[in-house]
Amino acid sequence: MMLLTFVVGHVADRFDRRRIGLVCQMIEALTSVALAIAVWQYWVTPVVILSAVAILGAATAFERPTMAALLPNVVGPALLQKAVATSTSMMQTR
């Protein structure tokens, strides 16, 4: 995540934030399914686990700032403060 910090902001500003969020969540889901299959088939090795963690970390690095930047476009000005507080709380518990 730390390595991608400078790239993420540029990508979130340049491309459609909804698509970035969707792609990140799909990558996270596919990685989780692949890891579950690896556990089920006894293919789990430290390399598999570390690879899954790296992929999930990269997807999360792109998803969090993108979703935070998307929030003002989804919520009206009257509810923005509450939405930011709720979103921040959800990201911290995740």
Side-chain angles (χ1 to χ4, degrees):
M1 286 178 73
M2 289 176 48
L3 297 174
L4 296 173
T5 300
F6 297 111
V7 176
V8 169
H10 177 69
V11 171
D13 289 339
R14 188 167 173 98
F15 298 103
D16 183 18
R17 294 177 182 138
R18 294 174 298 170
R19 286 188 188 233
I20 295 170
L22 177 65
V23 168
C24 289
Q25 289 179 356
M26 289 177 70
I27 290 170
E28 291 170 356
L30 291 174
T31 303
S32 298
V33 168
L35 193 56
I37 291 171
V39 168
W40 178 54
Q41 294 294 321
Y42 301 104
W43 299 334
V44 177
T45 64
V47 173
V48 171
I49 294 170
L50 291 174
S51 298
V53 168
I55 292 169
L56 288 171
T60 302
F62 278 89
E63 182 183 11
R64 284 190 177 182
T66 300
M67 293 308 216
L70 185 63
L71 191 60
N73 296 335
V74 177
V75 179
L79 295 175
L80 185 58
Q81 188 174 8
K82 289 181 181 181
V84 168
T86 303
S87 176
T88 303
S89 296
M90 294 300 286
M91 286 185 189
Q92 294 298 322
T93 59
R94 186 172 168 194

